[in-house]
């Protein structure tokens, strides 16, 4: 059987056979069945990422190797993996659904099938001595015995997914600059947004509970702002709190309203950017008939 080896100096793969007389380092079997030499793969990882690519393929059969598998094949140290994942964080966006950080260890996990919600974290599985699977939507441990299901078994998964994946507020002079666009009321878990004006405090439209949109503090006299409190992490809601929505919408309709609002805001921002880009273009001279 051939051995796949990466030559860092020439930046290319070699396919070694039994006739090869040189020394071979540690060998690992990839998911595609090919034998891979670990030595040098760390340089290959860096080269692929530095070119802005996030897909790693077997050089022999072109089957995709997931990032967590690449880390195992290359025997990356913690320092090497952290360095590579810093590059991944720079070239990925919130809209990228193929990479997510494991909620347990914080390392990146990749998936190829975007329709599959469950994903296994190999380092956590090794540490816990059991398979650790989490939901790619709400970023919580998978509770459903069926890992192929479209439901992870956690309460309010769709709400948490929106809280985890919504855009970040990018209004420099706003008190809530850098916060997620959507927050859940700490008291009743109703999803709400900030008007982007005034201080960071907000009154829940459902229960009138006052909290800080930045740190989620509950003090009515709390005054955050640009020089005030720190921004709390994105929330995960339990769905266990009982409340009545003001418009008596069910969960799916309520979520649809918020998603539609966010989509409209994103389209408006893109339209404004397009208009600015067009305005910055130099005007083309108009030619009269017969002119060149």
């Amino acid at each position: 059987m051939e051995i796949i080896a990466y030559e860092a100096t020439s930046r290319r793969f070699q396919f070694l056979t039994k006739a090869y007389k040189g020394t071979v380092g540690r060998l690992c079997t990839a998911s595609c069945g090919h034998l891979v030499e670990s030595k040098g793969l760390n340089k290959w990882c860096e080269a692929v990422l530095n070119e802005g690519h996030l897909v790693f393929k077997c050089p022999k059969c072109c089957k995709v190797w997931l990032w967590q598998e690449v880390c195992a094949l290359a025997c990356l140290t913690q320092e090497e993996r952290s360095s590579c994942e810093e590059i991944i964080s720079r070239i990925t966006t919130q809209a990228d659904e193929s990479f997510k950080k494991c909620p347990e260890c914080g390392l990146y996990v990749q998936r190829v099938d975007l329709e599959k919600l469950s994903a296994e974290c190999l380092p956590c599985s090794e540490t816990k001595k059991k398979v650790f699977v989490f939901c790619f939507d709400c970023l919580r441990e998978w509770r459903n015995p069926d890992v192929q299901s479209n439901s992870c078994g956690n309460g309010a998964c769709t709400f948490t997914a929106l809280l985890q994946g919504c855009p970040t507020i990018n209004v420099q002079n706003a008190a809530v600059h850098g916060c997620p666009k959507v927050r859940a009321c700490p008291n009743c878990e109703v999803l709400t947004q900030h008007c982007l004006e005034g201080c960071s405090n907000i009154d829940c439209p459902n229960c009138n509970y006052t909290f800080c949109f930045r740190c989620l503090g509950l003090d009515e006299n709390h005054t955050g702002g640009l020089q005030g409190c720190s921004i709390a992490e994105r929330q995960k809601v339990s769905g266990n709190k009982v409340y009545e929505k003001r418009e008596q919408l069910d969960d799916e309709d309520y979520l649809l309203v918020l998603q539609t609002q966010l989509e409209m805001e994103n389209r408006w921002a893109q339209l404004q950017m397009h208009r600015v880009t067009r305005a910055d273009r130099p005007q083309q001279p108009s030619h009269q008939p017969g002119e060149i």
Side-chain angles (χ1 to χ4, degrees):
M1 180 179 289
E2 287 184 326
I3 298 174
I4 300 173
Y6 183 74
E7 177 56 50
T9 305
S10 59
R11 299 185 63 181
R12 63 185 181 88
F13 280 98
Q14 295 178 329
F15 302 100
L16 310 179
T17 62
K18 292 182 179 179
Y20 180 69
K21 301 299 182 180
T23 57
V24 178
R26 178 180 175 180
L27 299 179
C28 298
T29 303
S31 57
C32 57
H34 291 111
L35 277 178
V36 183
E37 183 186 20
S38 297
K39 181 182 178 182
L41 280 185
N42 59 333
K43 299 299 182 183
W44 173 63
C45 294
E46 293 177 2
V48 172
L49 293 173
N50 285 328
E51 291 177 359
H53 301 303
L54 292 171
V55 179
F56 301 86
K57 294 183 179 181
C58 172
K60 186 68 176 178
C61 64
C62 292
K63 181 180 178 180
V64 174
W65 291 341
L66 296 179
W67 170 242
Q68 51 269 31
E69 180 184 4
V70 172
C71 293
L73 292 176
C75 299
L76 295 182
T77 64
Q78 186 64 40
E79 183 179 354
E80 289 173 335
R81 179 161 185 166
S82 298
S83 176
C84 288
E85 293 194 349
E86 284 182 8
I87 303 175
I88 292 176
S89 65
R90 289 199 299 267
I91 59 181
T92 53
T93 63
Q94 286 185 329
D96 193 328
E97 292 297 322
S98 59
F99 278 86
K100 290 286 181 69
K101 285 187 176 182
C102 170
E104 191 75 10
C105 66
L107 297 176
Y108 273 105
V109 174
Q110 183 187 14
R111 66 173 180 174
V112 175
D113 185 0
L114 300 184
E115 299 298 323
K116 186 178 179 181
L117 288 182
S118 61
E120 180 187 357
C121 177
L122 296 180
C124 285
S125 296
E126 184 176 349
T127 302
K128 296 176 178 292
K129 307 300 180 184
K130 65 175 184 178
V131 177
F132 179 78
V133 179
F134 67 93
C135 175
F136 234 68
D137 267 0
C138 69
L139 299 180
R140 289 179 289 188
E141 185 175 359
W142 192 269
R143 301 295 182 186
N144 192 334
D146 182 8
V147 294
Q148 302 298 329
S149 173
N150 59 359
S151 173
C152 64
N154 290 301
C157 175
T158 50
F159 280 9
T160 297
L162 179 57
L163 290 167
Q164 292 289 318
C166 68
T168 300
I169 297 173
N170 186 20
V171 180
Q172 294 292 334
N173 295 325
V176 291
H177 172 70
C179 296
K181 275 196 171 183
V182 180
R183 288 291 204 187
C185 171
N187 183 52
C188 68
E189 292 190 344
V190 160
L191 304 187
T192 186
Q193 292 181 279
H194 196 280
C195 67
L196 305 182
E197 296 179 356
C199 71
S200 59
N201 285 352
I202 185 174
D203 294 328
C204 173
N206 179 66
C207 66
N208 293 322
Y209 200 71
T210 302
F211 66 97
C212 173
F213 204 80
R214 288 174 61 88
C215 70
L216 303 177
L218 309 181
D219 186 357
E220 292 185 359
N221 297 320
H222 177 82
T223 53
L226 297 178
Q227 304 299 326
C229 56
S230 58
I231 298 175
E233 295 182 355
R234 290 175 178 262
Q235 297 163 278
K236 297 178 181 180
V237 292
S238 63
N240 296 327
K241 296 185 178 181
V242 179
Y243 55 84
E244 293 182 0
K245 301 182 184 68
R246 298 179 71 184
E247 298 179 2
Q248 299 299 317
L249 299 176
D250 60 30
D251 284 355
E252 292 185 359
D253 289 339
Y254 183 66
L255 185 62
L256 181 61
V257 169
L258 280 171
Q259 287 178 329
T260 303
Q261 183 176 352
L262 287 173
E263 289 175 2
M264 291 178 64
E265 290 180 357
N266 288 335
R267 290 175 185 172
W268 174 253
Q270 292 173 0
L271 178 61
Q272 293 295 94
M273 186 179 299
H274 178 66
R275 287 175 176 172
V276 171
T277 304
R278 291 186 60 185
D280 290 341
R281 292 176 183 170
Q283 296 293 326
Q284 297 294 332
S286 58
H287 299 294
Q288 297 296 327
E291 293 182 340
I292 298 177

